[in-house]
Amino acid sequence: MSDPVDATTTPAWARLKELRASYEPDLRGAFAADPDRAARFTRTAADLYVDLSKNLVDDDVLAALVELADQVGVPQRRDAMFAGERINVTENRSVLHVALRTPRDETLVVDGTDVVKDVHGVLDKVYAFADKVRSGDWVGVTGKRIETVVNIGIGGSDLGPVMVYEALLPYVQPGLTCRFVSNIDPTDVAVNTADLDPETTLFIVASKTFTTLETLTNARLARAWLLDGLRASGAVGEGDDAARAAVAKHFVAVSTALDKVEAFGIDPENAFGFWDWVGGRYSVDSAIGTSVCVAIGPENFADFLAGFHAVDVHFRDTPTRENVPMLMGLLNVWYDGFFDAASHAVLPYTQYLHRFPAYLQQLTMESNGKGVRWDGTPVTTATGEVFWGEPGTNGQHAFYQLIHQGTRVIPADFITVASPAHPLKDGETDVQELFLANFFAQTAALAFGKTADEVRAEGTDEAIVPARVFTGNRPTTSVMAPALTPSVVGQLIALYEHITFTQGVVWGIDSFDQWGVELGKQLAQQVTPAVGGDEEALAKQDASTQSLIRYYREHRA
Ligand code: F6P
């Protein structure tokens, strides 16, 4: 694997520095001077219509960013990813989430194995299982059909499935509901099972490694809840055989470690595999999405995968200048490197995408929140901006103040669809139009602001004119699609996967490992005995941790 190119040593970076030094953000002026600006800075990728024109760029900056991508080798590394090279160097793995959505009739041979064939082998198994649950062929141990599917997982084994399930609620089969348990806070499993009937509940234990403390603890709690409930109602007798029979009907698993699934007591027949070349945060389109597939059905799930693939093809085959994920990633690099932007807002104007920002937080920050490059040397620029957001219009009435008038540059992606899932009217008013008027107005307000003279012209008292001025030149990207279909949800995810990839390559980062989560996990194991009352273990902790644990022990009811 070639060493990363230090972006800051490239001619393109030097050019960007020069351009930044003389760049005076003036979106009003830029639009006035160029009636074609919106058209010239708009791109499409599959069904996504992406308007980049309200970003702080001109032709020279865009050209330099495109050169930067070439000079650090973004296209080459992208091609290496698609070819199955081991670009995840710290884990010595290929990075092949794109293979998860490659059509059945294509092949991709890696280390002598056609991974596309393997992918479709598992997909067929997931589809057959989903069909059985949906049709009522798969029943619980007492013969009742499944009404609730509870996915137990955390991180990528939770955030993707829950986000997509929520996004595609209108596609969920009536009579079926999914729930998601992730937190080891006992409240999560308790609250999510409290009103369920064990006879009609199916658990999917989703864990790539099948070693994750939170997931395995919750799975054991769920198994105990199931058996206690079935035994209490007399549905199932005592004894190991009865327990095994019940677990077989109410538990399935998704993992790369099928031996560990079996050791946990789940029949490998009821397990769906995937591969170490799929990162957890890139896995919702693998068997990790089984809960979603059960809910929306195989046909819709296949559309979801086709949406990913359409954007993969765009990313793979489109020149940098027209390549939407590359351009959006390069713009993020521009803001992080040259405007000190430390955060990035993602603002979906479609309620069903309400978990999308949370999903993106893992995708982007676990991927690029790193201080060393893939050859072990330190990074040379700021990396890994904080991604955050909430659905508009709720955000407008909460934190948009900071985006409009705060002192920091906060690039924001506005995402919406033309046709709503629920075309409601308020009297004669189409509510989607009211909603989208906000979407359009916000990006215009952020870009063009309001001058002091405009504020004065409204008769505002001079003393409060400054407080009512909007500087404008607050960068946004607008992403629109016809409707929130399974395909469009897949397209949006793939878009952000490849944006993240592009940024990672420019920064020289291995975007596919996550060593930064390990230390906390190790320390938690060491601290657990101290929390439980082991004085010797407590004495080994630092003074602050000791006093916090003592507080806990004194106050635990
Ligand atoms: O601890 C972080 C992490 O490894 C994530 O990358 C992953 O998505 C999550 O934990 C869950 O891991 P698993 O699917 O192996 O349970």
Side-chain angles (χ1 to χ4, degrees), residues 154-157 206-210 212 215 280-281 362 366 514 517 521:
I154 196 164
S157 301
S207 173
K208 177 176 168 179
T209 55
F210 230 75
T212 304
T215 300
R281 52 196 175 275
Q362 187 197 14
E366 204 173 67
Q514 57 284 314
V517 299
K521 285 187 199 171

Side-chain angles (χ1 to χ4, degrees), residues 291-354:
S291 53
V292 174
C293 186
V294 170
I296 67 174
E299 214 173 299
N300 286 320
F301 199 81
D303 284 349
F304 173 58
L305 298 184
F308 279 91
H309 183 64
V311 170
D312 291 345
V313 169
H314 168 93
F315 182 57
R316 189 191 62 197
D317 297 346
T318 309
T320 309
R321 262 198 81 80
E322 302 301 319
N323 194 307
V324 175
M326 279 196 200
L327 291 175
M328 289 178 74
L330 291 166
L331 285 170
N332 292 351
V333 168
W334 170 237
Y335 295 125
D336 296 340
F338 297 88
F339 291 80
D340 289 333
S343 85
H344 190 108
V346 181
L347 308 165
Y349 279 65
T350 164
Q351 182 61 26
Y352 283 128
L353 280 181
H354 71 111

Side-chain angles (χ1 to χ4, degrees), residues 92-154:
N92 192 25
R93 289 176 181 163
S94 304
V95 174
L96 277 174
H97 45 277
V98 292
L100 297 170
R101 50 269 191 152
T102 298
R104 195 182 286 274
D105 56 1
E106 294 184 20
T107 49
L108 174 58
V109 178
V110 177
D111 297 335
T113 303
D114 180 2
V115 294
V116 177
K117 194 161 164 239
D118 287 356
V119 162
H120 284 275
V122 173
L123 266 181
D124 287 343
K125 194 172 168 191
V126 170
Y127 288 172
F129 169 71
D131 276 335
K132 275 200 222 158
V133 176
R134 292 164 64 80
S135 66
D137 277 358
W138 181 291
V139 290
V141 68
T142 59
K144 290 193 181 165
R145 70 186 288 163
I146 300 301
E147 291 172 5
T148 309
V149 173
V150 181
N151 186 83
I152 300 177
I154 196 164

